[in-house]
Amino acid sequence: DQQVKQNSPSLSVQEGRISILNCDYTNSMFDYFLWYKKYPAEGPTFLISISSIKDKNEDGRFTVFLNKSAKHLSLHIVPSQPGDSAVYFCAASRNTGTASKLTFGTGTRLQVTL
Amino acid sequence: GAVVSQHPSWVICKSGTSVKIECRSLDFQATTMFWYRQFPKQSLMLMATSNEGSKATYEQGVEKDKFLINHASLTLSTLTVTSAHPEDSSFYICSAGRPGTRWQFFGPGTRLTVL
């Protein structure tokens, strides 16, 4: 049972345009969401997170939007740069009072073209 | 972001041998560390949660006698793959939970190949 899903396995965007990566979840107990960027044969790099009490969080070129009623979140990257080309994973966690285990989506490969 | 190291970065071993992978949190003390496995073109799957000073909590389907986890200090967790077989070949990644936050910072991963 895939509790966190990224339905687009790949996305191609031109440099300078907006990249929108989507993520859906099924478990209503998830209350914290994170986005990670990953290159092959490397560990994921934390990008941005959002708590379920918010619907938007922004950090530089990265903005995450959360729609709790739809159980959907998205990561916007604007403007997209060639260095953004990587696999992006969304992850979700439940509040267990301590560092919580993450459930990862299946990933979306972003290709930013010149 | 925080720095988490893993050693070795890659290892090749013969079937039946044991391999130890170290995960260190270099700039904060992590009471909780996590071990993940990633097969090619798939997502990261949590194997176990490692708590300093206590036994690890394993996810369903993960053999605790095969994947031994030790979290002896606040900055070091080790994963030992015992009696490794070719099907254990994978990319193993650890993470450290930053205290007071819901964030996890990941190590660079270890590529294990069992011949």
Side-chain angles (χ1 to χ4, degrees):
Chain A
D1 175 32
Q2 188 71 35
Q3 296 187 62
V4 180
K5 297 179 184 179
Q6 293 174 254
N7 291 319
S8 298
S10 64
L11 175 68
S12 183
V13 172
Q14 235 177 356
E15 181 181 14
R17 299 287 185 102
I18 184 171
S19 295
I20 300 176
L21 297 100
N22 294 303
C23 179
D24 297 293
Y25 62 97
T26 57
N27 191 337
S28 58
M29 298 298 290
F30 289 141
D31 69 340
Y32 197 77
F33 305 89
L34 307 91
W35 283 95
Y36 287 87
K37 175 181 179 182
K38 187 180 183 300
Y39 295 111
E42 292 185 13
T45 301
F46 171 73
L47 284 174
I48 193 169
S49 62
I50 189 167
S51 165
S52 61
I53 62 173
K54 294 185 174 182
D55 55 19
K56 178 183 175 181
N57 188 26
E58 191 173 352
D59 183 2
R61 296 187 299 117
F62 302 94
T63 302
V64 56
F65 295 91
L66 175 63
N67 182 332
K68 275 199 306 182
S69 60
K71 294 190 178 68
H72 176 83
L73 63 153
S74 60
L75 174 68
H76 293 210
I77 307 173
V78 56
S80 301
Q81 300 173 353
D84 296 330
S85 297
V87 178
Y88 289 78
F89 289 95
C90 68
S93 72
R94 298 171 49 181
N95 187 0
T96 59
T98 181
S100 311
K101 65 181 186 180
L102 298 178
T103 300
F104 279 85
T106 47
T108 296
R109 180 177 302 278
L110 173 65
Q111 179 77 37
V112 179
T113 59
L114 297 173
Chain B
V3 180
V4 177
S5 70
Q6 268 183 254
H7 178 80
S9 55
W10 59 271
V11 57
I12 300 173
C13 69
K14 291 182 179 179
S15 187
T17 59
S18 294
V19 174
K20 180 187 280 189
I21 303 170
E22 292 186 349
C23 177
R24 293 181 186 273
S25 175
L26 299 182
D27 53 2
F28 65 86
Q29 293 183 325
T31 52
T32 307
M33 300 175 89
F34 302 86
W35 287 95
Y36 296 81
R37 182 165 58 183
Q38 185 186 27
F39 291 105
K41 297 186 179 180
Q42 293 189 24
S43 186
L44 283 77
M45 299 300 296
L46 178 67
M47 298 175 67
T49 302
S50 169
N51 298 296
E52 187 268 338
S54 64
K55 291 183 179 180
T57 304
Y58 290 81
E59 294 299 301
Q60 193 173 14
V62 178
E63 298 176 58
K64 60 180 180 182
D65 294 330
K66 181 168 186 60
F67 298 100
L68 300 179
I69 291 172
N70 184 277
H71 192 159
S73 78
L74 287 171
T75 59
L76 173 65
S77 176
T78 60
L79 168 68
T80 301
V81 183
T82 62
S83 187
H85 290 284
E87 58 265 29
D88 298 323
S89 299
S90 189
F91 192 58
Y92 291 86
I93 313 174
C94 72
S95 73
R98 192 178 191 103
T101 75
R102 303 280 294 272
W103 299 345
Q104 289 183 30
F105 294 93
F106 286 80
T110 297
R111 168 73 59 195
L112 170 63
T113 301
V114 184
L115 302 176

